[in-house]
Amino acid sequence: MKSIDLMYQTMLAELGQRSLDAAWTADFPPEGRFTPANIKGRKYWYFDIPDGHGGTKRRYVGSADDPDIAQRVADHKRDKDDLRARRRLVNTLAREGGMIAPDAMSGDIVEVLADGGLFRLRGVLIGTVAFQCYSGLLGVRLPMAAILTGDADIAQDYAISREVEDSLPPIVELLQRVDASFRPVPHRSGSVASSAFQNADGYRVEFLTSNRGSDDYIDQPAKMPALGGASADPLRFLDFLIREPVRTMLLHRSGVPVVVPDPSRYAVHKLIVASRRHTDGQGLAKREKDVRQAALLFEALQQTRRSADLALVYNEAWERGSAWQEGIRTGAGMLPAQDAERLRTVLIEGAKKNREEIELPFGE
């Protein structure tokens, strides 16, 4: 697995810092521009913004003599110049640096949800779109075949959604900013609540949450106060995946700051998920993808000297009981021989670094 040059890893860190530092306002978005106008001998500022139909809408801002407004105009130009610079950074990282950029639909979906406050409200991007972020996060090149997707999965802890006392705007309205054909998908339980949305081309956005300790909740959508009217499907093992997530960048447009699972947790979780996939319909293909992504992350974690991280979260999962152990054993048994041997090696290495005992998922 080829490493990404340190120069590009440094550029990604710079992009992340500049994106987090940028202060965008709803009143003066970067696609607009301040325009001066002279009226009866006095200078005033207006703000022009595209109306989406080839024209512009003009908004009055105030007198050019107002020092606060003058500062606002200067800051907007600075921020707009920075936006262009960040777009160039994203292009360089994706085209020359060997990092992964999402497809346009996935990028637009994540961006509109991020702008709506998803990650501020402690949402976590999971699934293959999150996997695409690990190339830059870990500093390794990942093969394109493992990152193709036609959906976006979002998770939020159930307790967090109830406690933050804030909410995204209506989810369906946010998604329709990207594609007007997005509609709620009827829930399989027959509930009027919806945890998934789909457009006319079949692109699916699904919301998931941690299970609350009983399988009675599995087939019923959970009400999520922070998710803008969307519910979420409770899933076993999800709390492990989204515990202690990490911040990174999605290389879309000028860069989208996102929150994704720790890559070690993602890898172990994929083994468990693979063990529970059905083999009918798309289940087999999804299972193969789960195993492939897990194997790639085991390799990347070994190469980047993160074996201790992997061993630590592996032990956490293993110690959760027999159902977890069975899932890990079954998933690990699906790994090709070379990848299984790598997992064995990296777990032993990591356990030694952590000075912990470890029970391997393979027979001796």
Side-chain angles (χ1 to χ4, degrees), residues 7 59 84 152 164 195 228 274 311 363:
M7 176 182 71
R59 179 186 303 145
R84 294 191 184 102
V164 294
S195 60

Side-chain angles (χ1 to χ4, degrees), residues 74-144:
D75 288 347
H76 186 268
K77 183 181 186 305
R78 180 203 64 200
D79 292 343
K80 195 165 184 176
D81 288 344
D82 184 66
L83 178 67
R84 294 191 184 102
R86 287 190 288 125
R87 284 177 175 167
R88 288 193 291 270
L89 270 176
V90 168
N91 288 336
T92 299
L93 292 169
R95 294 178 182 177
E96 301 174 21
M99 298 182 190
I100 303 299
D103 63 275
M105 177 60 75
S106 297
D108 286 346
I109 291 295
V110 175
E111 183 175 43
V112 76
L113 293 174
D115 289 345
L118 174 68
F119 301 112
R120 175 177 60 82
L121 298 177
R122 297 173 66 183
V124 182
L125 178 66
I126 63 174
T128 296
V129 183
F131 183 83
Q132 295 170 353
C133 298
Y134 292 142
S135 176
L137 185 65
L138 295 174
V140 295
R141 297 177 184 243
L142 297 171
M144 290 295 295

Side-chain angles (χ1 to χ4, degrees), residues 126-290:
I126 63 174
T128 296
V129 183
F131 183 83
Q132 295 170 353
C133 298
Y134 292 142
S135 176
L137 185 65
L138 295 174
V140 295
R141 297 177 184 243
L142 297 171
M144 290 295 295
I147 62 168
L148 300 177
T149 188
D151 53 30
D153 295 325
I154 309 295
Q156 187 184 54
D157 182 77
Y158 178 79
I160 288 172
S161 193
R162 293 181 62 87
E163 293 169 2
V164 294
E165 297 184 351
D166 196 356
S167 178
L168 292 167
I171 289 293
V172 70
E173 293 181 12
L174 289 176
L175 297 178
Q176 286 174 350
R177 294 180 191 176
V178 177
D179 185 333
S181 70
F182 267 106
R183 296 289 185 271
V185 176
H187 196 268
R188 62 183 178 275
S189 68
S191 170
V192 295
S194 181
S195 60
F197 302 81
Q198 190 165 303
N199 71 358
D201 295 325
Y203 192 98
R204 186 180 179 95
V205 181
E206 189 162 6
F207 293 88
L208 305 165
T209 191
S210 46
N211 189 33
R212 286 174 279 162
S214 169
D215 287 345
D216 293 342
Y217 294 107
I218 288 293
D219 292 324
Q220 295 296 323
K223 293 182 179 180
M224 305 290 286
L227 290 183
S231 295
D233 267 347
L235 291 183
R236 291 188 67 189
F237 312 109
L238 189 68
D239 66 306
F240 169 83
L241 175 66
I242 63 177
R243 184 181 179 187
E244 299 175 339
V246 295
R247 293 188 178 276
T248 187
M249 296 298 299
L250 187 70
L251 295 182
H252 180 68
R253 297 183 187 266
S254 58
V256 182
V258 296
V259 177
V260 300
D262 174 271
S264 296
R265 291 183 180 275
Y266 188 101
V268 173
H269 185 261
K270 279 298 178 183
L271 289 186
I272 299 172
V273 170
S275 74
R276 299 174 67 84
R277 294 283 193 196
H278 297 295
T279 56
D280 56 346
Q282 296 183 350
L284 184 59
K286 289 182 177 180
R287 186 175 71 182
E288 291 175 353
K289 190 174 185 180
D290 292 335

Side-chain angles (χ1 to χ4, degrees), residues 11-89:
M11 288 172 65
L12 180 68
E14 179 186 353
L15 173 66
Q17 188 59 55
R18 288 167 67 172
S19 296
L20 289 171
D21 288 345
W24 310 115
T25 70
D27 289 338
F28 306 110
E31 60 267 24
R33 64 188 182 93
F34 284 94
T35 303
N38 288 302
I39 302 175
K40 295 182 179 181
R42 295 190 64 183
K43 183 179 178 181
Y44 297 89
W45 285 109
Y46 287 80
F47 191 75
D48 293 341
I49 186 169
D51 63 6
H53 304 287
T56 59
K57 293 187 294 185
R58 173 160 290 191
R59 179 186 303 145
Y60 173 74
V61 179
S63 170
D65 296 331
D66 186 326
D68 290 338
I69 293 175
Q71 186 62 50
R72 169 81 73 172
V73 174
D75 288 347
H76 186 268
K77 183 181 186 305
R78 180 203 64 200
D79 292 343
K80 195 165 184 176
D81 288 344
D82 184 66
L83 178 67
R84 294 191 184 102
R86 287 190 288 125
R87 284 177 175 167
R88 288 193 291 270
L89 270 176

